[in-house]
């Protein structure tokens, strides 16, 4: 046999090994994930405040939250008649 034959055989063997490994890994992951999921009997509680809703700019100013910018909690298009992204501006 020539040296080039050994190189070809080695590269073919490496390719087949990689192919077999690529084929077997998904099945190994499937068998590991088939275990039952762990469920925490005491899930963490979240104490988040409800999203504020303001019906008028007077209410926003009374709570000291003016001006409200687009994306902030409590902003809505009804409080921004100009549509500039600033509600209840001074």
């Amino acid at each position: 046999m020539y040296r080039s034959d050994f190189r070809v055989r080695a590269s073919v063997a490496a390719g087949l090994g990689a192919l077999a490994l690529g084929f077997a890994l998904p099945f190994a992951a499937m068998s590991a994930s088939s275990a039952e999921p762990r469920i925490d009997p005491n899930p963490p509680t979240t104490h988040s405040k409800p999203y504020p809703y303001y019906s008028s700019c007077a209410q926003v100013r009374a709570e000291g939250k003016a001006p409200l910018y687009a994306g902030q909690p409590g902003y809505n298009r009804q409080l921004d008649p100009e549509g500039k992204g600033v509600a209840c501006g001074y």
Side-chain angles (χ1 to χ4, degrees):
M1 289 186 127
Y2 295 105
R3 280 189 176 174
S4 61
D5 290 340
F6 286 113
R7 290 181 186 155
V8 169
R9 287 183 182 188
S11 64
V12 168
L16 289 175
L19 182 65
L21 185 62
F23 181 74
L25 280 178
F27 291 110
M30 284 175 43
S31 65
S33 66
S34 64
E36 290 189 29
R38 295 182 182 178
I39 299 173
D40 187 7
N42 301 319
T45 57
T46 56
H47 298 288
S48 62
K49 294 181 179 179
Y51 192 82
Y53 175 78
Y54 303 110
S55 57
S56 68
C57 286
Q59 185 181 10
V60 174
R61 288 187 189 103
E63 292 191 23
K65 302 292 184 181
L68 291 173
Y69 298 98
Q72 284 184 319
Y75 173 87
N76 65 54
R77 295 277 303 163
Q78 295 170 346
L79 301 175
D80 184 13
E82 297 172 358
K84 293 183 179 180
V86 181
C88 305
Y90 292 106

